[in-house]
Amino acid sequence: MTRTARRRTTRAAGPSWPRRVTGIASAQLPVAAMVRGAAGLAVPLLAGRWTESGALSVIAAVGALWGIGQDGGDAYPSRVRRLAWTGAAAALGCLIGVLALRSGQSAAVTVCLTVAAFVSGLISLRGRVVSVAGMHLLLGAVIGSGIPVPGPWWHPPVALLSGAVWVLVLSCAPWLWARYDIERATVGAVYRVAAEALERAGTPAAEDARRRLTDALDAAHHAMSRHLTPGTRPSRQTELGRLVRAFHVAVLLGEAVTTLLWEARPLEPAVTRVPLLLAGRLLPQRKDPAAPREDREDREVREIREVREIREDREDREVREAASGETGGPLSQRPDFAPDSPGLRALATVHEAAGRDRIDDVSLEPPTSRRSGRSAHLRYAALLALCVLITQWCATALDGPRGYWLPMTVAFVYKPDFGPLLRRALHRCAGTVAGVAAIGAVALLTDSTGAFIAAVAVFGALMAVGVRHHYAIATTGLTAVVFVLLDLLGDHRQLYWPRILDTALAAAVVLFLHFAVWPDSAAARAEQQTEAALAAALRYRDLAPDATPAQRHALRRAAYQQLGEARRAADHARREPSRPGRPLPDWERRIATAEHLCDLVTARALMTTAPSGMHPAHE
């Protein structure tokens, strides 16, 4: 039995205890992110305890906490951009909040939070990174105006920024020794998903397999984009050069696999094995297997590890033993199957082209995404500002302890661009209850400051898991951490029930106002995304016959990405309450029809022209 077969047998034996308890497989636990979450929170608190700067260390830990919420397993430039925007926006909001608080006027605090909420909402629908920045601008204003910190006015914003920068350093440090691991993993994922798709050809699961392949290709495009500047080509002898080559072959492979899935017939093992054999030959491997690897838990790293294991299988060993040189051997020959269809011919030619010296570059023009219009921005900004204003009034009227919890909950909950609003609000409430229960149990066991800092590290690691897998788990970790931070600030009041009630009140305000004033927002966005996706599919159909191979790749990527966004928007709209008596349109049927059209266009392109990159470019 091969190593890969033994691994699959082990997986089939049954779920491990983390999956039974949380629904998360142990192999999916983000170990590296959990370590970053623990260290990101514990180090500022320990430094504050050592330097006796308790209040500033708590503010720095809050910045680190928000940084952990934006940490991820994507490419390092994307992480830097997202975390930098998070820290800068939070520090700016904190500065505004501190100035409002030190004015001594409660009205100044209310105006500050309302204006920050309006600005946050105004920019939040303009893209993922800007949306994150807008949310943390409001959160920074809430913290700055809600937590008095002694000392100069600039201390809290700098402390908040330092916490976010600390997480940024932790998140991007592996770049020093694992520079291309993420890119290698995303490209390897394309080959693995392509092999799985070929195994499902001719079955009802083929359509879903094609969507996963499209998503994998899009992720590889994003990860590799900075290495594919037009006019530059890294040397093939370098790790980056081999990785770029593997990416270009992966794009060609995606076109061939799409055609084979459209042909809708079962394929022999000799065909389904081709993507993994290509991956085993083309993907560069780490020279030092003992070197640390970034984010072992992430999906991409698990996928590339499976590709490496397949290299140990008997078939791949035979291929390597038969290889006679860098461009010779099996990859310069057609695989052992009869290419009697356009898809099989394309796959055979991709297999052959992988052994050539040059492959045509792939256009990486990003697809134009259809964003919400100005009226939607204004409406969301006005509703977010109104929610913050109402909860701030409630905090003042109720005179509850730490009233900033109400507007802070609004900032976290009211993010319709982050998923279904109703589910987000319910998960926020459930996570708050779980976090209160967890930190209450810790408080019953000990009152040691060191033990509480250790608890912060544990809950920070839990939050890192929740960020990737479940919003309620992330809220559980965040709630418990905030309770400890308040305790370290010297507030030892019993705030368990007030925090639960405040969270429920803020969530209720958000849900009531949103569904009373803007109940069809998710449906309107789904309709808009569907129309944009249909237009992209028709553009691909009309332009593909006369397009160059690189242009055809760009058109196909734009169409499939728009279709994926439309499908996610439709799913979002289905999960939100709708007006009685007004059934939602059948977006899924229109999207599926457009997907079938794109598959047909791809297949016809391969019938009439040689697949792109099949002829080596001239030097």
Side-chain angles (χ1 to χ4, degrees):
M1 181 181 293
T2 65
R3 182 182 303 181
T4 305
R6 288 194 299 269
R7 187 178 184 89
R8 289 173 180 168
T9 301
T10 302
R11 287 178 182 170
S16 58
W17 69 265
R19 183 173 181 82
R20 290 195 299 267
V21 175
T22 66
I24 302 171
S26 57
Q28 295 176 327
L29 286 177
V31 178
M34 292 170 68
V35 173
R36 294 197 296 267
L41 290 171
V43 169
L45 296 178
L46 291 173
R49 188 180 182 187
W50 181 54
T51 60
E52 297 183 354
S53 303
L56 289 178
S57 70
V58 168
I59 298 298
V62 171
L65 182 68
W66 294 344
I68 293 166
Q70 297 306 317
D71 189 17
D74 49 348
Y76 294 113
S78 299
R79 296 191 203 186
V80 171
R81 185 165 56 250
R82 187 173 58 251
L83 288 169
W85 275 95
T86 295
L92 176 61
C94 182
L95 173 61
I96 298 171
V98 167
L99 296 178
L101 179 65
R102 297 195 177 197
S103 70
Q105 302 292 325
S106 60
V109 172
T110 301
V111 171
C112 165
L113 293 180
T114 304
V115 172
F118 184 79
V119 174
S120 171
L122 203 60
I123 66 177
S124 282
L125 300 182
R126 296 184 177 273
R128 186 77 177 187
V129 174
V130 180
S131 180
V132 167
M135 179 177 71
H136 286 89
L137 173 72
L138 176 55
L139 289 172
V142 171
I143 292 297
S145 62
I147 300 180
V149 178
W153 56 269
W154 52 271
H155 276 182
V158 171
L160 196 66
L161 178 61
S162 67
V165 170
W166 167 236
V167 173
L168 188 154
V169 170
L170 289 176
S171 181
C172 297
W175 178 84
L176 297 174
W177 61 81
R179 185 165 300 184
Y180 302 122
D181 268 17
I182 294 173
E183 290 89 340
R184 184 188 303 108
T186 55
V187 174
V190 177
Y191 289 93
R192 186 185 68 81
V193 176
E196 294 177 353
L198 292 180
E199 291 177 355
R200 289 162 175 75
T203 70
E207 187 171 353
D208 185 60
R210 201 272 308 146
R211 293 193 189 110
R212 290 199 300 273
L213 176 60
T214 301
D215 292 340
L217 276 168
D218 193 57
H221 270 284
H222 284 298
M224 293 295 298
S225 58
R226 68 189 180 102
H227 304 300
L228 301 165
T229 305
T232 63
R233 183 187 292 270
S235 172
R236 185 180 173 186
Q237 304 305 318
T238 65
E239 180 183 8
L240 178 59
R242 295 193 299 273
L243 188 57
V244 169
R245 178 182 179 79
F247 166 75
H248 286 308
V249 174
V251 174
L252 307 178
L253 178 65
E255 191 173 47
V257 171
T258 299
T259 303
L260 285 167
L261 294 178
W262 173 80
E263 291 174 356
R265 61 173 180 172
L267 301 172
E268 299 177 355
V271 178
T272 61
R273 195 168 58 228
V274 169
L276 295 177
L277 295 179
L278 288 172
R281 176 68 183 273
L282 293 174
L283 284 173
Q285 304 300 312
R286 294 290 299 275
K287 294 181 180 179
D288 180 11
R293 288 181 293 185
E294 168 64 6
D295 282 347
R296 291 176 180 270
E297 80 288 356
D298 286 344
R299 169 178 59 88
E300 298 87 1
V301 176
R302 295 197 312 275
E303 289 160 349
I304 192 62
R305 189 161 59 239
E306 290 195 9
V307 170
R308 290 173 179 171
E309 290 170 356
I310 287 171
R311 288 171 60 89
E312 301 300 325
D313 288 351
R314 176 179 58 82
E315 298 87 356
D316 205 5
R317 285 202 304 272
E318 293 174 355
V319 170
R320 296 202 309 276
E321 291 167 359
S324 59
E326 178 65 17
T327 62
L331 288 184
S332 64
Q333 305 169 4
R334 290 180 179 267
D336 186 20
F337 58 81
D340 57 353
S341 75
L344 290 176
R345 285 195 294 272
L347 185 63
T349 315
V350 169
H351 195 279
E352 178 182 355
R356 297 184 182 273
D357 291 331
R358 293 292 299 271
I359 298 176
D360 292 340
D361 288 336
V362 175
S363 173
L364 283 174
E365 288 295 326
T368 56
S369 60
R370 189 73 68 88
R371 294 172 181 166
S372 303
R374 182 177 301 178
S375 61
H377 291 164
L378 290 173
R379 185 180 298 189
Y380 171 59
L383 282 175
L384 179 60
L386 182 59
C387 289
V388 168
L389 180 61
I390 291 175
T391 52
Q392 181 65 14
W393 282 343
C394 290
T396 303
L398 297 174
D399 195 24
R402 301 288 179 179
Y404 61 79
W405 192 275
L406 281 159
M408 184 174 70
T409 301
V410 170
F412 278 118
V413 169
Y414 199 14
K415 295 294 295 176
D417 55 326
F418 280 14
L421 185 60
L422 177 60
R423 184 176 62 181
R424 189 174 178 87
L426 294 177
H427 287 174
R428 187 80 195 175
C429 294
T432 300
V433 172
V436 166
I439 198 61
V442 173
L444 289 176
L445 297 175
T446 181
D447 58 358
S448 167
T449 300
F452 274 113
I453 293 177
V456 164
V458 172
F459 287 118
L462 179 66
M463 183 177 173
V465 176
V467 165
R468 288 159 175 77
H469 292 290
H470 204 288
Y471 184 61
I473 298 176
T475 301
T476 299
L478 183 143
T479 301
V481 168
V482 171
F483 264 89
V484 176
L485 297 182
L486 292 180
D487 188 80
L488 294 176
L489 281 174
D491 191 342
H492 305 296
R493 290 174 291 178
Q494 296 295 321
L495 301 177
Y496 302 134
W497 281 112
R499 290 295 76 92
I500 294 175
L501 295 177
D502 286 352
T503 300
L505 176 59
V509 169
V510 168
L511 292 176
F512 176 78
L513 285 179
H514 177 79
F515 289 113
V517 177
W518 202 12
D520 57 348
S521 61
R525 183 174 182 273
E527 183 65 28
Q528 183 183 51
Q529 292 286 350
T530 301
E531 292 295 335
L534 295 179
L538 293 175
R539 186 165 58 250
Y540 178 39
R541 180 200 65 183
D542 296 338
L543 300 180
D546 300 322
T548 64
Q551 291 171 339
R552 192 171 71 246
H553 288 309
L555 289 167
R556 187 177 68 252
R557 183 196 176 201
Y560 281 129
Q561 187 178 58
Q562 293 278 22
L563 287 165
E565 291 178 358
R567 190 172 290 278
R568 286 187 289 272
D571 180 68
H572 178 169
R574 299 283 180 203
R575 294 172 182 267
E576 297 282 34
S578 58
R579 292 183 179 180
R582 295 183 60 179
L584 296 176
D586 190 0
W587 299 298
E588 291 83 359
R589 181 186 58 80
R590 296 160 64 190
I591 294 169
T593 301
E595 288 175 336
H596 295 156
L597 172 63
C598 291
D599 294 345
L600 175 62
V601 171
T602 300
R604 285 183 173 175
L606 293 186
M607 291 178 189
T608 57
T609 63
S612 64
M614 299 313 172
H615 304 292
H618 295 290
E619 296 286 352

